[in-house]
Structure formats: structure tokens, C-alpha cells
Amino acid sequence: MLLAASILIVFVAAAHSYLGERFLLKRLFRQPLPPLFGSDDFTKQTLRFAWHITSVLGLGFATLLILIHVNPLSNKSVLYAIGSTFAVVALFPLVATRGKHVSWIAFLVIAGLCFTSAIAD
């Protein structure tokens, strides 16, 4: 059941990113958006990475379900999966806004705390 759920999450995450980009974000970005930091480029990049972070977090949950299926008592592997997910999530605002949107700092700290906890366990 957990493997089926994780496969479904992967399909939903892929559809969410692809269809959202193609049918929602592209159309939304044709309109003028409120400017942040001097232009609407920052606004567009923030909306784009926030949209795709949802998919990455879904993939992280799919990974957790697989890990629980394989080894229900492995706290370290769960912590590594969560840490890895948040490390990837941190790249979205860091790259998309060249670090201007500071959410990447919190995501990176979360990843580091998870990795540190896994190592200390």
C-alpha cells in the first residue's frame, strides 16, 4: 500500500509541476504582477519556485513512504530523507531569486538540523 501511495505521489507531483507551469503560471505571468524589489521578475520567480516546492515536498513524502515500507524503524533514513528534501527545496529560492528571497536560509537550516540529528542518533 505504501509503495502504491508513493507512486501516486510521484505522478501527482510531476503533473502538478508540469500542468501548473504550462496552464497556470504561463498565463498568470502574461499579466502585470505587483513589483517586488523593483520589478515583477522577483514576484514571478517567487511564485514559480513556491509552486514547484510543493512538488518537491511531495516527492520527499513519497521517499519517506518507501523508506517506511522498506524499514519501518529506521529513524536515520527518515531524517536523511527529510534533510535531503529540504536541501533541494532550499535551492529553489536561492537560485531563482539569487538569494534575495531568504526562505532558502530556513530550508537549509532545517536540512542541516535533520542531518545533524541523524548523525548524532
Side-chain angles (χ1 to χ4, degrees), residues 5 24 26 49 70 72 76 79 88 90 104 111 119 121:
L24 181 75
K26 277 188 181 181
F49 79 69
V70 172
K76 277 190 177 196
L79 289 170
V88 171
W104 68 271
I119 293 166
D121 191 17

Side-chain angles (χ1 to χ4, degrees), residues 24-103:
L24 181 75
L25 295 176
K26 277 188 181 181
R27 291 178 183 177
L28 180 65
F29 294 163
R30 290 183 195 144
Q31 320 250 345
L33 297 173
L36 296 171
F37 294 106
S39 76
D40 71 347
D41 288 337
F42 183 82
T43 306
K44 290 175 183 176
Q45 289 302 340
T46 300
L47 290 171
R48 178 168 276 125
F49 79 69
W51 184 268
H52 293 294
I53 280 174
T54 306
S55 298
V56 172
L57 291 171
L59 295 174
F61 277 105
T63 302
L64 289 173
L65 292 176
I66 292 168
L67 292 172
I68 291 167
H69 171 75
V70 172
N71 187 0
L73 300 176
S74 177
N75 288 336
K76 277 190 177 196
S77 61
V78 169
L79 289 170
Y80 282 125
I82 294 170
S84 298
T85 300
F86 276 93
V88 171
V89 163
L91 293 175
F92 282 74
L94 180 63
V95 172
T97 69
R98 295 186 182 108
K100 289 181 188 174
H101 194 288
V102 296
S103 62

